[in-house]
Amino acid sequence: MRIQVSRQLLDRQLVDVDGRLVGKVDDVEFALDADGVPYLRTLLTGPGALGLRVGGRIGRMLVLTAERFVTDRPMVPLRIPYGLVDRVDSAVWLRIRAEQLPTSPVEEWLRRHLIGRIPGAGRAGG
């Protein structure tokens, strides 16, 4: 089951209902139902998830590099419940808009410390 999910989901682009890129599926999380049958519960995205999946020195380096952007909380992946997935083809299409998802810690840091300092950046998305 893990191999099939890996081929169908991992490293695919996440696209919101409006066609905007949200990120990439970096890992997945399974759970067990009441009968003990595993099911796909959550898609994980972000450097924290990718680093854990890659593992070893390279994985630790990815996580540590991402954590340098975030000083106020630990680096955790963005978790997208699989129930929010509309379809899977060459990308993973979500049923919701990107704004409805929590913002990743790295994206928050970039907005606060880099993008927010660019003149006119507050009007760029509107």
Side-chain angles (χ1 to χ4, degrees), residues 13 15-16 19 84-95:
Q13 293 291 331
V15 182
D16 80 352
L84 296 178
V85 172
D86 182 45
R87 71 182 189 276
V88 177
D89 50 33
S90 62
V92 177
W93 294 83
L94 303 176
R95 299 178 193 277

Side-chain angles (χ1 to χ4, degrees), residues 35-85:
D35 297 321
V37 177
Y39 68 94
L40 180 58
R41 176 169 54 186
T42 310
L43 303 178
L44 305 172
T45 184
L50 181 60
L52 292 173
R53 186 179 109 206
V54 170
R57 291 175 116 174
I58 294 174
R60 283 192 304 275
M61 184 180 70
L62 286 169
V63 172
L64 291 172
T65 301
E67 283 180 343
R68 292 194 61 148
F69 288 106
V70 182
T71 57
D72 57 344
R73 61 183 164 161
M75 175 56 58
V76 294
L78 176 61
R79 304 167 66 82
I80 301 173
Y82 192 71
L84 296 178
V85 172

Side-chain angles (χ1 to χ4, degrees), residues 94-111:
L94 303 176
R95 299 178 193 277
I96 62 172
R97 291 191 159 128
E99 297 85 25
Q100 295 173 276
L101 294 169
T103 306
S104 77
V106 173
E107 186 174 336
E108 284 179 18
W109 186 94
L110 288 170
R111 283 184 185 167

